[in-house]
Amino acid sequence: MKMKEKMITGITPSGEMTLGNYLGAIKRCVEFQDEYDLYVFIANLHAITIPQNKEILRKNTKEIAALYFACGLDPQKSTVFLQSDVLEHAQLGWILNTQSSIGELSRMTQFKDKSQKTKAKTKDYIPAGLFTYPTLMAADILMYDAKYVPVGIDQKQHVELTRDIAIRVNNKYSEVFKIPEPLISENKIKIMDLQDPSKKMSKSSTNPKAIIYMLDPPKVIAAKIKAAITDSENLIKYDPKHKPGVSNLMMIYAILKNITIKQAEKHWTGKNYKDLKDDVTEVLIQTLEPIQTRYQQLYNSKDVEQWLEQAATKARLEAHKKLNKVQNALGLNYNRK
């Protein structure tokens, strides 16, 4: 029987899970788990690169864990765990930190963006972890010999850095890392802000109408879609450059209906923006209501905690072997070769 290739991905519990998180990552993971040996971690160590309220962080972590499973991740098929439950992630992250350069880290576009936002909120306080977290992300990826990393276009740079670090360590010491490949959707999924479709939908937005959250009630979803920015043309056509708001709604609909953009355009031939918004609202509610029901069943059950611990136990065994191999290569293990 042919062994499945490994794949790894994670999500940071720095806020409520959004529709963008679901369509861009989690929905794909549910589809991938039958094809790949899938590792999914809740990146709570990444969350603390910016200041967090501990109780809110705990709540977000519990919520995202329950949502992962409610969305369809199967603990019998996927290894879903908390990043902080596998201490080797942080240790390998530090080692890779020493194998990276300031120049490489300073070129990370997300650091430039996040540091400015954090600086504005914290009166010039920019945590060092915000600068160095790409090496922890590299450790997350390299720890389990994953061949593929499903990422959005905005995260591709981090996988490229990971590859550079892995190749550098392999060339300098010995072949300890498998070189991963970014797996970017052919459709280049990127769900945009409902109120400012020039930027990605993000939980950091200050406008509550801009984001669909996975746990939004149907009435709230309907109101947000109704208020979504379109244009004055009243022509349903996919054109992200000139019609970003309309194109964003079309993308959401097409992904949830598992159809192409061309099929979606044909569906709305001769129709108007009210039809577009009504259809998007309907498919969103049809998709999210069953997930929300399953989430309510799981949130206070012991199942989620048990599944996370079982997966962490498995991950720790693999992570320990990888870390030991790396430490041997670098001469960190005393009196070992």
Side-chain angles (χ1 to χ4, degrees):
M1 185 176 179
K2 187 179 178 181
M3 293 286 289
K4 292 180 179 179
E5 292 285 1
K6 286 184 179 177
M7 174 183 285
I8 191 160
T9 188
I11 188 172
T12 306
S14 55
E16 296 178 69
M17 189 184 290
T18 70
L19 177 68
N21 297 140
Y22 175 69
L23 296 183
I26 298 166
K27 184 175 183 292
R28 296 177 69 200
C29 285
V30 173
E31 296 164 357
F32 286 143
Q33 67 183 344
D34 289 321
E35 185 178 354
Y36 299 98
D37 183 5
L38 182 65
Y39 284 65
V40 183
F41 63 95
I42 298 169
N44 51 353
L45 294 178
H46 286 294
I48 61 173
T49 54
I50 57 176
Q52 298 284 339
N53 176 290
K54 65 180 183 180
E55 296 304 326
I56 293 176
L57 179 58
R58 286 194 183 105
K59 174 183 175 294
N60 289 341
T61 301
K62 182 178 179 181
E63 180 179 292
I64 283 177
L67 271 172
Y68 262 145
F69 296 114
C71 287
L73 283 177
D74 185 340
Q76 301 303 317
K77 296 179 180 179
S78 302
T79 305
V80 184
F81 61 97
L82 294 186
Q83 184 186 30
S84 63
D85 281 348
V86 184
L87 303 182
E88 288 83 357
H89 280 248
Q91 193 164 348
L92 182 57
W94 170 253
I95 291 172
L96 298 186
N97 200 40
T98 70
Q99 304 300 311
S100 310
S101 73
I102 291 175
E104 286 175 318
L105 297 177
S106 65
R107 288 193 289 272
M108 294 292 103
T109 54
Q110 287 215 345
F111 167 72
K112 297 172 185 176
D113 179 48
K114 290 184 177 180
S115 61
Q116 290 303 311
K117 291 178 180 177
T118 303
K119 185 177 180 180
K121 291 180 180 178
T122 59
K123 299 180 180 178
D124 295 335
Y125 174 76
I126 302 176
L130 198 59
F131 183 69
T132 60
Y133 87 93
T135 58
L136 176 58
M137 186 179 290
D140 299 330
I141 294 169
L142 297 174
M143 186 71 80
Y144 304 100
D145 288 332
K147 182 174 182 179
Y148 296 114
V149 188
V151 290
I153 298 170
D154 57 330
Q155 288 285 343
K156 184 182 177 183
Q157 188 183 32
H158 287 107
V159 182
E160 291 170 347
L161 175 64
T162 299
R163 288 171 55 87
D164 291 342
I165 295 171
I167 292 169
R168 182 178 304 140
V169 171
N170 286 352
N171 289 340
K172 189 175 181 180
Y173 299 101
S174 65
E175 294 284 331
V176 293
F177 292 127
K178 184 169 185 172
I179 309 304
E181 299 175 21
L183 190 66
I184 300 173
S185 169
E186 292 180 3
N187 293 328
K188 297 182 179 180
I189 296 169
K190 194 172 182 180
I191 304 304
M192 311 307 285
D193 187 296
L194 295 178
Q195 292 298 307
D196 182 1
S198 66
K199 63 184 183 183
K200 184 180 174 182
M201 183 180 288
S202 170
K203 46 196 167 190
S204 63
S205 174
T206 57
N207 188 340
K209 293 182 180 180
I211 312 161
I212 298 290
Y213 291 106
M214 292 298 289
L215 298 177
D216 277 344
K219 288 184 179 179
V220 173
I221 292 171
K224 288 181 178 180
I225 295 300
K226 185 177 181 180
I229 298 297
T230 50
D231 54 53
S232 59
E233 198 173 9
N234 209 22
L235 174 65
I236 304 174
K237 178 183 177 183
Y238 188 74
D239 183 351
K241 183 177 180 180
H242 300 105
K243 300 172 72 67
V246 172
S247 299
N248 189 43
L249 293 176
M250 293 177 70
M251 175 67 80
I252 292 170
Y253 182 84
I255 296 170
L256 291 177
K257 295 291 282 188
N258 289 314
I259 61 174
T260 66
I261 290 295
K262 286 187 177 181
Q263 288 173 320
E265 280 187 330
K266 186 176 180 180
H267 169 75
W268 286 303
T269 300
K271 296 184 179 181
N272 57 36
Y273 289 168
K274 182 181 183 304
D275 298 316
L276 170 66
K277 290 185 174 183
D278 286 347
D279 287 347
V280 173
T281 298
E282 181 181 18
V283 73
L284 274 169
I285 293 171
Q286 286 176 348
T287 301
L288 296 186
E289 275 194 318
I291 292 173
Q292 292 171 0
T293 299
R294 179 62 174 151
Y295 167 82
Q296 295 298 336
Q297 294 169 348
L298 289 173
Y299 187 75
N300 287 315
S301 76
K302 294 197 179 288
D303 289 341
V304 173
E305 186 176 343
Q306 183 179 11
W307 293 335
L308 291 175
E309 180 51 39
Q310 288 174 346
T313 298
K314 175 188 174 183
R316 280 192 290 265
L317 290 172
E318 293 191 44
H320 178 74
K321 292 177 183 177
K322 175 60 69 178
L323 182 62
N324 193 52
K325 187 175 182 179
V326 173
Q327 291 190 154
N328 278 339
L330 271 67
L332 292 173
N333 288 343
Y334 176 70
N335 202 29
R336 296 179 195 169
K337 293 182 180 180

